[in-house]
Amino acid sequence: MCATSRSMSAAVTASAATSSGSRPWVNRTVGSDTEMAATGAPSCAIPRPTAVTPASVPSLLSAKPRSRTVAPNCTRILDAYGLLDEATSLGVVPDAMVMRDAVDGSELTRLDLRDLERRYGFPYMVIHRSDLHGLFLRACQRAGVDLVTSQRAVAYDNTPSGARVELADGHTEEARVVIAADGLHSVARKLFVDDQPVSSAYVAYRGTVPTSEPRGQEVDLSEVAVYIGPGCHFVHYGLRGGELLNQVAVFESPKALAGEDDWGTPDELDAAFADTCDFVQQGLPFMWRDKWWRMYDRDPILTWVHGNIALLGDSAHPPLQYIAQGAIMAIEDGWVLAEQVARQRADDGSVDWAAALAAYEAVRPEHCRRVLTTSRAWGELWHLDGVAREQRNALLRSRDPYDYSFVDWLYGPTALEPEQEPELFVPTPLESAHQLAVAAD
């Protein structure tokens, strides 16, 4: 993703990580006076034209479709950018999110997404990743951004007047401020912490089916459905205005747990879902067998600003996918940064960058820490077995479908100041399922 401000005549560099294990590739725009440069993954965010303007990278429009779920905390920002109507036309706005048991197929709980839209003021949608990239790309083209691909960032440094990015071909880009959004395998993150991506030992397979085909016709496209089971889960929903059915199968790899290098292979896929219900097993033949996605995150960090260099997106907070906030957090990062820049812009157009970056760092790291830790916990909850699975199922079945206490902290307005950050929900202990059983008797 790249970022620029027309009013700042910014020169922007941006790198894009396509998947786990990929290397960041730089895209840049060049202006006369470089105020801000951004190196980053395709986590899309387009603030107001007077501030930072991130874009998507056309070289990353994947041949094999991947999708993004876009919750109200993100569609609220898309609306602020004037992009929500276009996004809605490209995606699907479902009626419900339904959670089922992957073993017996029974319904556990659901969210009424139309009521959720009334509560938060903006819809929940799903959209093809390349459609979301294209949405931001076109917006940046309208703003006059020129993207140059296939440049790789290899080093970042502060300078007396700003910051510098060194590229693999030997040349450098300098700016007053550098925003490093260079993904899971971030080079810039090394300025902040000496850590590595954390393997979850889980792997995802994906596949799409035209809804004109029998598999697509037997699925209710008004639902986003997730089947949760021991060490595995299966998700399906519609894409491209209902033209495609997207399916995702995720499982824990025994080979990964054993420390083997060749893990997540198709034989493990079939074995992981051997005891699931017929509907789930019937979806497995539609998974692409030549590519799979190993799932990594990183431990949260609370320092994102180093002099004139700041992290954004997955370079700061790569999550596991269980609460579907990865791309959304990056979009929120860009929006918050833009708002803080706007607040620190003087009448003469100059920006107090130190104050803007400090305000950005004061609010975003703690929110994203919550998302990362909750995502890990949610993944553990989905994949329980034995008595714990039975307890989880009992609690989910007892849940009021119109109880939003566990998503209010996520789906409400994005905080611009620490005191605006909502309280985190309080998890319900699995052991309390016993109390439900006693009450039922």
Side-chain angles (χ1 to χ4, degrees):
M1 172 172 79
C2 71
T4 188
S5 164
R6 296 173 68 188
S7 62
M8 289 189 280
S9 299
V12 178
T13 64
S15 65
T18 58
S19 63
S20 296
S22 65
R23 307 179 78 178
W25 295 92
V26 172
N27 301 263
R28 64 187 179 88
T29 65
V30 178
S32 56
D33 299 311
T34 305
E35 176 108 3
M36 188 205 75
T39 71
S43 49
C44 312
I46 298 187
R48 65 185 74 178
T50 57
V52 188
T53 311
S56 169
V57 180
S59 61
L60 293 183
L61 304 188
S62 175
K64 289 190 173 180
R66 295 173 65 183
S67 59
R68 294 284 184 253
T69 54
V70 185
N73 54 319
C74 183
T75 52
R76 181 181 294 107
I77 293 173
L78 293 181
D79 183 68
Y81 297 160
L83 300 176
L84 181 57
D85 288 344
E86 184 179 358
T88 302
S89 72
L90 296 170
V92 171
V93 179
D95 294 330
M97 182 185 301
V98 183
M99 182 170 282
R100 298 186 173 96
D101 187 281
V103 177
D104 61 25
S106 63
E107 182 172 324
L108 300 176
T109 191
R110 65 171 53 222
L111 276 175
D112 181 337
L113 296 180
R114 298 299 181 171
D115 185 70
L116 181 140
E117 180 177 352
R118 287 189 288 272
R119 180 178 181 84
Y120 298 112
F122 296 91
Y124 187 106
M125 72 169 64
V126 288
I127 188 170
H128 192 300
R129 186 176 80 152
S130 67
D131 290 339
L132 185 62
H133 288 174
L135 179 78
F136 283 105
L137 174 62
R138 290 187 293 276
C140 283
Q141 288 172 333
R142 291 193 295 270
V145 177
D146 179 30
L147 299 174
V148 180
T149 61
S150 299
Q151 297 291 318
R152 182 164 55 89
V154 296
Y156 298 76
D157 294 290
N158 282 291
T159 68
S161 60
R164 176 189 303 115
V165 181
E166 180 182 346
L167 303 175
D169 64 4
H171 85 274
T172 61
E173 298 286 345
E174 296 192 18
R176 173 63 183 82
V177 167
V178 167
I179 308 301
D182 50 350
L184 174 67
H185 298 280
S186 169
V187 175
R189 186 180 172 105
K190 297 175 183 178
L191 297 172
F192 299 83
V193 62
D194 182 17
D195 69 346
Q196 295 296 325
V198 178
S199 172
S200 69
Y202 277 80
V203 61
Y205 279 70
R206 296 179 169 91
T208 56
V209 182
T211 51
S212 58
E213 295 185 6
R215 176 65 176 181
Q217 293 175 353
E218 68 183 17
V219 172
D220 183 356
L221 293 180
S222 71
E223 296 179 349
V224 173
V226 55
Y227 292 74
I228 57 175
C232 68
H233 72 268
F234 185 87
V235 183
H236 71 74
Y237 45 81
L239 287 175
R240 294 229 160 121
E243 294 179 359
L244 293 175
L245 170 67
N246 189 57
Q247 301 180 111
V248 185
V250 176
F251 63 91
E252 187 176 42
S253 163
K255 293 180 183 178
L257 295 176
E260 298 181 26
D261 292 332
D262 183 26
W263 60 275
T265 49
D267 59 303
E268 289 194 302
L269 167 69
D270 295 327
F273 287 90
D275 294 327
T276 57
C277 63
D278 289 346
F279 176 84
V280 170
Q281 292 200 41
Q282 289 164 5
L284 299 183
F286 298 96
M287 299 294 107
W288 300 307
R289 298 290 176 122
D290 60 340
K291 183 171 180 59
W292 49 92
W293 288 262
R294 295 170 177 176
M295 293 169 51
Y296 293 82
D297 67 356
R298 287 197 192 235
D299 293 333
I301 59 173
L302 298 181
T303 300
W304 292 10
V305 176
H306 175 67
N308 299 311
I309 300 168
L311 300 180
L312 182 149
D314 277 0
S315 64
H317 48 71
L320 299 177
Q321 86 286 18
Y322 298 107
I323 58 175
Q325 287 284 307
I328 292 174
M329 283 192 291
I331 292 171
E332 288 183 309
D333 289 348
W335 181 78
V336 170
L337 179 58
E339 291 295 315
Q340 302 299 352
V341 170
R343 290 181 176 190
Q344 299 299 329
R345 184 184 300 282
D347 291 341
D348 64 1
S350 62
V351 174
D352 184 343
W353 281 102
L357 294 178
Y360 167 70
E361 187 180 45
V363 67
R364 291 303 297 162
E366 172 57 21
H367 175 84
C368 295
R369 182 198 65 80
R370 295 179 178 188
V371 174
L372 264 64
T373 56
T374 302
S375 295
R376 288 177 173 179
W378 200 236
E380 293 174 1
L381 183 71
W382 282 18
H383 300 134
L384 294 172
D385 198 0
V387 173
R389 167 178 165 259
E390 295 174 2
Q391 292 173 324
R392 176 205 64 201
N393 286 0
L395 291 173
L396 288 174
R397 289 190 177 107
S398 70
R399 175 188 162 270
D400 180 351
Y402 296 96
D403 175 11
Y404 298 107
S405 60
F406 73 103
V407 292
D408 277 340
W409 69 283
L410 274 180
Y411 293 168
T414 301
L416 286 170
E417 299 173 3
E419 56 269 24
Q420 296 174 349
E421 187 70 29
E423 292 293 325
L424 188 62
F425 74 99
V426 178
T428 302
L430 287 176
E431 295 76 13
S432 63
H434 174 70
Q435 300 171 6
L436 293 175
V438 171
D441 292 341

